[in-house]
C-alpha cells in the first residue's frame, strides 16, 4: 500500500491521475443536481432563521442547578402560552436561554415567573428582552452588499492577476456553487441561519477563493509551459494541475475542519455558546463544500471555457494527431 507521500508524488508526476477534466460532464451533472436540489429544498423544508431575523422574545435563566433539564423551560413557556414555539439552549453549566415567538409584556412577565418557579431560582435570576427583526434585516442587507462587493472585486483581481477573465468566471461560479449548496444543506438539516452563520458564509467564500486561486496558479504554471513541443493537450495540463494540488487541497481542508469541528463540539456540547456554534458550523460545512467545488467545478469549467479558443484547439489537434501517428493510444 502506498504511503501518502508516495501517493502525492505519483499525482504530481502524473503516474496516478484522476479524470477531473476528462469526466467533467459527469461532475457538471452532479453539480447541477446538487445546486437544483439545494434550491428546491427550501420549498419543502423552509430555511430556519434565528430570532434576530424573525423577531421574538428571549429569556435567560441564571443559577440553574446542573445537570440542566431543558424540558422544564419548554413546559414553563407552554403553561403560559400553549401554542408558543420555543427554542431552549443550555449556556455553560448553570444557565438556560429560551427563545420564543413575540409575546406581550404581560405574557413575558408570566413566563419569567414560570421559569423562575420551574428552576427554583429567584425572579431576579430571570431576564427577558424583545428582539426586533429590524436588526437582522440590517445584517442581511449589509451582508448582501458585502457579498456583491466581494464578488465584484474578486472578478477584477483574478482577471488582472491571471490575465484572463475566464478564470474569474470559473472562480465566481465556483463560489456561488459553494454558497447555494451550503445554504441547501442548512435547509435540509434544519440548521438555523443566524447573523453569526451569515458571517461564517462570507468567511467560507474567502477560503474557497484561496483554494481556487492556489489550484488556478498551478494551472497557469502548467499551461504557460505548454509550447509547441508539449505532449499534453490543454485539458490534460489542467487535469495534471488539479491532481498535483489534490493532496494539498485535502490536507488544507482537513487542517481547516479539525479545529473548526473541535470548536463546534465545544460550542455545541460543552459551552453552549450559540454564536460560537453557528459560526463554526457554517465554516465546517462550507469548507468541505469549497474543496469539492474547486476540484470538480471551477477547474474543469475553466478548461471547458478555454479549449474552444482557436489557438488552443489547433495545438490540441496537433498533439492528438502526433500521438495517432506514433501509435500512442488516446
Amino acid at each position: 500500500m502506498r504511503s501518502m507521500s508516495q501517493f502525492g508524488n505519483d499525482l504530481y508526476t502524473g503516474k496516478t491521475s484522476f479524470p477531473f477534466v476528462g469526466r467533467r460532464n459527469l461532475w457538471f451533472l452532479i453539480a447541477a443536481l446538487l445546486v437544483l436540489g439545494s434550491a428546491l429544498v427550501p420549498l419543502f423544508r423552509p430555511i430556519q432563521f434565528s430570532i434576530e431575523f424573525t423577531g421574538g422574545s428571549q429569556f435567560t435563566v441564571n443559577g440553574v442547578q446542573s445537570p440542566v433539564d431543558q424540558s422544564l423551560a419548554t413546559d414553563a413557556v407552554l403553561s403560559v402560552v400553549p401554542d408558543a414555539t420555543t427554542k431552549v439552549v443550555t449556556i455553560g453549566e448553570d444557565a438556560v436561554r429560551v427563545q420564543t415567538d413575540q409575546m406581550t409584556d404581560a405574557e413575558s412577565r408570566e413566563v419569567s415567573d414560570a421559569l423562575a418557579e420551574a428552576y427554583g431560582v429567584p425572579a431576579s435570576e430571570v431576564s427577558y428582552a424583545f428582539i426586533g427583526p429590524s436588526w437582522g434585516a440590517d445584517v442581511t442587507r449589509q451582508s448582501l452588499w458585502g457579498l456583491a462587493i466581494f464578488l465584484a472585486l474578486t472578478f477584477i483581481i483574478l482577471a488582472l492577476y491571471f490575465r484572463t477573465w475566464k478564470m474569474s468566471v470559473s472562480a465566481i461560479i465556483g463560489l456561488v456553487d459553494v454558497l447555494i449548496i451550503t445554504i441547501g444543506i442548512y435547509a435540509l438539516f434544519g440548521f438555523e441561519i443566524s447573523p453569526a452563520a451569515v458571517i461564517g458564509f462570507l468567511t467560507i467564500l474567502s477560503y474557497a477563493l484561496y483554494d481556487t486561486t492556489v489550484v488556478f496558479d498551478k494551472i497557469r504554471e502548467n499551461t504557460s509551459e505548454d509550447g509547441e513541443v508539449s505532449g499534453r493537450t490543454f485539458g490534460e495540463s489542467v487535469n495534471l494541475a488539479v491532481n498535483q494540488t489534490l493532496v494539498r487541497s485535502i490536507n488544507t481542508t482537513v487542517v481547516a475542519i479539525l479545529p473548526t469541528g473541535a470548536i463546534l463540539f465545544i460550542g455545541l456540547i460543552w459551552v453552549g455558546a450559540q454564536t460560537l456554534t453557528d459560526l463554526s458550523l457554517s465554516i465546517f460545512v462550507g469548507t468541505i463544500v469549497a474543496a469539492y467545488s474547486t476540484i470538480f467545478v471551477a477547474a474543469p469549467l475553466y478548461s471547458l471555457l478555454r479549449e474552444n479558443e482557436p489557438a488552443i484547439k489547433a495545438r490540441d489537434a496537433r498533439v492528438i494527431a502526433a500521438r495517432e501517428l506514433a501509435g500512442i493510444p488516446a
Side-chain angles (χ1 to χ4, degrees), residues 68-86:
V68 178
D69 185 354
Q70 295 185 352
S71 64
L72 294 177
T74 303
D75 294 340
V77 174
L78 296 180
S79 67
V80 178
V81 184
D83 59 346
T85 300
T86 62

Side-chain angles (χ1 to χ4, degrees), residues 247-293:
V247 172
R248 187 214 61 84
S249 294
I250 294 173
N251 288 341
T252 304
T253 302
V254 171
V255 168
I257 64 173
L258 282 179
T260 307
I263 294 173
L264 175 61
F265 177 78
I266 292 172
L268 185 64
I269 305 298
W270 191 6
V271 179
Q274 191 64 40
T275 301
L276 189 64
T277 302
D278 292 346
L279 185 61
S280 56
L281 177 62
S282 59
I283 295 176
F284 184 85
V285 174
T287 300
I288 298 173
V289 178
Y292 140 80
S293 182

Side-chain angles (χ1 to χ4, degrees), residues 9-305:
N9 185 63
D10 289 347
L11 287 173
Y12 197 88
T13 59
K15 183 178 180 181
T16 297
S17 179
F18 296 104
F20 298 111
V21 174
R23 303 195 66 179
R24 65 188 173 205
N25 290 339
L26 174 62
W27 314 135
F28 290 163
L29 176 62
I30 293 173
L33 292 175
L34 289 175
V35 171
L36 181 62
S38 299
L40 293 177
V41 165
L43 297 179
F44 304 97
R45 291 178 61 88
I47 298 174
Q48 302 296 315
F49 290 100
S50 69
I51 192 173
E52 288 84 358
F53 291 98
T54 61
S57 298
Q58 178 170 292
F59 302 84
T60 302
V61 187
N62 295 304
V64 177
Q65 289 185 346
S66 182
V68 178
D69 185 354
Q70 295 185 352
S71 64
L72 294 177
T74 303
D75 294 340
V77 174
L78 296 180
S79 67
V80 178
V81 184
D83 59 346
T85 300
T86 62
K87 178 185 176 185
V88 183
V89 177
T90 302
I91 304 174
E93 297 180 350
D94 61 350
V96 174
R97 183 173 61 208
V98 185
Q99 294 179 336
T100 71
D101 304 323
Q102 181 180 350
M103 294 184 177
T104 64
D105 288 340
E107 289 174 333
S108 296
R109 285 193 294 271
E110 290 184 42
V111 169
S112 179
D113 292 340
L115 287 170
E117 182 179 353
Y119 285 105
V121 299
S124 58
E125 293 294 330
V126 182
S127 60
Y128 62 90
F130 168 72
I131 299 176
S134 59
W135 189 75
D138 289 341
V139 171
T140 303
R141 184 170 55 254
Q142 293 173 10
S143 298
L144 291 176
W145 270 109
L147 177 62
I149 294 171
F150 174 81
L151 293 178
L153 289 176
T154 297
F155 186 91
I156 295 172
I157 292 173
L158 288 182
L160 293 174
Y161 180 71
F162 290 114
R163 297 182 181 83
T164 170
W165 60 269
K166 294 181 179 179
M167 275 193 173
S168 297
V169 170
S170 303
I172 295 297
I173 291 177
L175 294 180
V176 174
D177 180 64
V178 171
L179 194 58
I180 293 175
I181 293 177
T182 302
I183 293 176
I185 292 174
Y186 259 66
L188 180 63
F189 291 98
F191 297 146
E192 191 176 74
I193 294 181
S194 66
V198 173
I199 295 172
F201 293 154
L202 297 178
T203 305
I204 292 165
L205 296 183
S206 298
Y207 171 79
L209 178 62
Y210 161 74
D211 197 47
T212 302
T213 302
V214 171
V215 176
F216 278 8
D217 216 26
K218 189 61 184 174
I219 291 175
R220 182 179 65 168
E221 180 183 327
N222 283 2
T223 54
S224 63
E225 291 175 350
D226 288 344
E228 293 300 320
V229 296
S230 173
R232 297 191 300 257
T233 65
F234 184 84
E236 290 168 347
S237 292
V238 173
N239 195 68
L240 177 62
V242 179
N243 278 278
Q244 288 174 328
T245 54
L246 181 61
V247 172
R248 187 214 61 84
S249 294
I250 294 173
N251 288 341
T252 304
T253 302
V254 171
V255 168
I257 64 173
L258 282 179
T260 307
I263 294 173
L264 175 61
F265 177 78
I266 292 172
L268 185 64
I269 305 298
W270 191 6
V271 179
Q274 191 64 40
T275 301
L276 189 64
T277 302
D278 292 346
L279 185 61
S280 56
L281 177 62
S282 59
I283 295 176
F284 184 85
V285 174
T287 300
I288 298 173
V289 178
Y292 140 80
S293 182
T294 298
I295 296 171
F296 292 98
V297 177
L301 179 61
Y302 172 68
S303 178
L304 177 65
L305 293 176

